[in-house]
Amino acid sequence: MSDTAKPSRSHTASSQRLRMRRELAAAAMELFATKGYEATTVDEIAATAGVARRTFFRHFRAKEEAIFPDHDDTLVRAQAVLEAAPAHENPLDTVCRGIKEVMRMYAASPKGSVERYKLTRDVPALREREIASVARYERLFTRYLLGHFDEAAHRDGDDDPLLAEVAASAVVTAHNHVLRRWLRNGGVGDVEAQLDHAFAIVRKTFGTGFGANRPAAPERIGGAETTRDDEVLVTVARTDTPIGEIMRTIERALRD
């Protein structure tokens, strides 16, 4: 009996769905480039891809969506990065990691991405569709950052709400700036390194302020950790932590 795990039925269906979306997108790109966007019909896109008209509409609502086959799946991957983030990771760092999924989508097919970029510059309907797609990412990242402060506890001098929205916009803007520059250069160069540089600027600008009002992570010494407010000291330790180590942790916390 083979130990190789078989792909799940849902994974197979998802792969087939994405493959069909990409085939439809390739057909649309070819027709838009040769016939022009306005002159191309959904029936022609479906016929070029070798499928029925109803198959096209199972995957896309309109022809302007057809050259963006990966945005839905990329949004899901970006959200998964946010949901799996370590508890004490700076939320801005998490968002930067999440948006890298978007860049990797473009970088996976430089030639196709450059061709699509040229089309979106020439066709207003396609440009508007891409803007709408980018807005979905920005909303996702803004919601994530806003979720890292307690709005009910908002008080004068707490700028987290403002910083959350501005930081999310800054991350998306930095990504789009690097992406456009890379596409204008023909999709050549280490785009992830360029993106890391842009993110470093965003972190330097916003990272020291955002989250400043959140409680600090508990001090950890060996197998024990402590948290403290004005009158209560709480110590948490593994059951196998030596009692001497626990006592030293408590003594250190009391001295501080």
Side-chain angles (χ1 to χ4, degrees):
M1 182 175 179
S2 174
D3 292 332
T4 303
K6 294 182 179 180
S8 67
R9 186 173 301 176
S10 61
H11 175 75
T12 301
S14 177
S15 298
Q16 292 173 344
R17 169 183 169 277
L18 185 56
R19 183 168 62 250
M20 176 52 64
R21 286 171 64 89
R22 288 175 175 171
E23 289 174 4
L24 287 166
M29 287 279 291
E30 178 185 342
L31 289 167
F32 292 165
T34 56
K35 293 191 61 176
Y37 172 77
E38 295 295 342
T40 299
T41 66
V42 167
D43 287 338
E44 289 172 326
I45 295 173
T48 301
V51 299
R53 173 187 173 91
R54 64 179 179 274
T55 300
F56 176 93
F57 284 111
R58 279 203 297 267
H59 294 277
F60 301 107
R61 291 171 295 182
K63 67 178 183 178
E64 62 265 23
E65 291 187 5
I67 66 167
F68 305 106
D70 297 330
H71 273 311
D72 288 347
D73 294 89
T74 303
L75 189 68
V76 170
R77 290 200 305 275
Q79 184 165 358
V81 170
L82 305 185
E83 291 174 351
H88 298 306
E89 182 176 46
N90 187 306
L92 193 54
D93 290 337
T94 305
V95 166
C96 289
R97 288 197 300 110
I99 206 169
K100 275 192 173 184
E101 295 295 328
V102 186
M103 184 63 79
R104 287 167 184 153
M105 174 192 71
Y106 287 94
S109 177
K111 181 180 178 182
S113 295
V114 170
E115 291 174 354
R116 183 168 55 197
Y117 175 66
K118 291 176 180 177
L119 270 175
T120 57
R121 284 195 303 174
D122 295 336
V123 181
L126 297 179
R127 187 162 59 249
E128 291 170 6
R129 169 51 53 186
E130 185 152 45
I131 290 171
S133 296
V134 170
R136 294 168 67 196
Y137 296 114
E138 187 165 352
R139 286 194 297 271
L140 171 67
F141 298 134
T142 299
R143 284 196 304 270
Y144 180 79
L145 292 178
L146 289 174
H148 280 74
F149 74 94
D150 183 1
E151 190 168 9
H154 187 103
R155 60 188 182 279
D156 290 343
D158 177 6
D159 293 326
D160 273 5
L162 172 63
L163 285 168
E165 294 195 44
V166 174
S169 296
V171 170
V172 174
T173 299
H175 169 272
N176 293 344
H177 173 83
V178 171
L179 177 61
R180 283 194 300 269
R181 187 172 58 191
W182 179 73
L183 291 170
R184 289 169 183 161
N185 194 39
V188 176
D190 188 344
V191 70
E192 280 208 38
Q194 297 170 32
L195 191 61
D196 285 338
H197 174 72
F199 285 164
I201 295 172
V202 173
R203 289 189 187 96
K204 183 178 180 181
T205 305
F206 300 105
T208 57
F210 178 72
N213 295 303
R214 296 197 314 276
E219 177 188 7
R220 176 177 289 276
I221 304 174
E225 64 180 32
T226 65
T227 57
R228 182 178 181 175
D229 60 22
D230 291 339
E231 298 181 354
V232 179
L233 173 70
V234 178
T235 300
V236 179
R238 290 173 51 91
T239 55
D240 58 354
T241 303
I243 188 64
E245 184 174 333
I246 294 174
M247 294 305 297
R248 286 192 296 272
T249 302
I250 294 172
E251 289 171 0
R252 182 191 294 265
L254 291 172
R255 287 198 305 270
D256 293 341

